[in-house]
Amino acid sequence: MLSPQEAFYSERRSLTLDQSVGQVCGEFVMCYPPGIPILAPGERITREIVDYIQFAKERGCSLQGTEDPEVNHINVIKRKEN
């Protein structure tokens, strides 16, 4: 949806995981193991991605890259009002 650079410099706000579906991600979400990003800045957040994040949390995987260490909230890009 946005380049990583554009997303990095955009204004962001924090939403719960469920509220973030359909929004544009404003930060990385990485799962260890295996250490591959689930989300990168600028990507659209889908229900499937949120479900996978919740699945990984339930399984005790280490989720990193988010401002919220518990990954209950995620930073998304603020939409520009017309």
Side-chain angles (χ1 to χ4, degrees), residues 20-80:
S20 73
V21 173
Q23 301 290 318
V24 178
C25 189
E27 61 188 349
F28 280 99
V29 181
M30 295 172 279
C31 182
Y32 292 92
I36 298 170
I38 298 170
L39 279 169
E43 288 188 286
R44 170 92 49 210
I45 302 169
T46 65
R47 169 53 52 199
E48 292 80 14
I49 290 170
V50 168
D51 289 346
Y52 181 76
I53 291 170
Q54 291 171 332
F55 172 82
K57 285 175 58 174
E58 291 168 4
R59 296 299 182 271
C61 294
S62 174
L63 294 167
Q64 299 178 8
T66 57
E67 189 174 294
D68 174 11
E70 301 299 318
V71 195
N72 293 317
H73 292 80
I74 189 166
N75 286 329
V76 300
I77 303 303
K78 277 192 174 181
R79 293 184 180 177
K80 295 178 182 166

Side-chain angles (χ1 to χ4, degrees), residues 1-12 24-26 41-43 77-78 80:
M1 301 302 303
L2 297 174
S3 72
Q5 180 181 13
E6 186 177 357
F8 180 81
Y9 290 109
S10 293
E11 193 172 354
R12 292 169 282 218
V24 178
C25 189
E43 288 188 286
I77 303 303
K78 277 192 174 181
K80 295 178 182 166

Side-chain angles (χ1 to χ4, degrees), residues 9-21:
Y9 290 109
S10 293
E11 193 172 354
R12 292 169 282 218
R13 64 188 178 127
S14 179
L15 295 177
T16 66
L17 282 176
D18 284 333
Q19 292 172 325
S20 73
V21 173

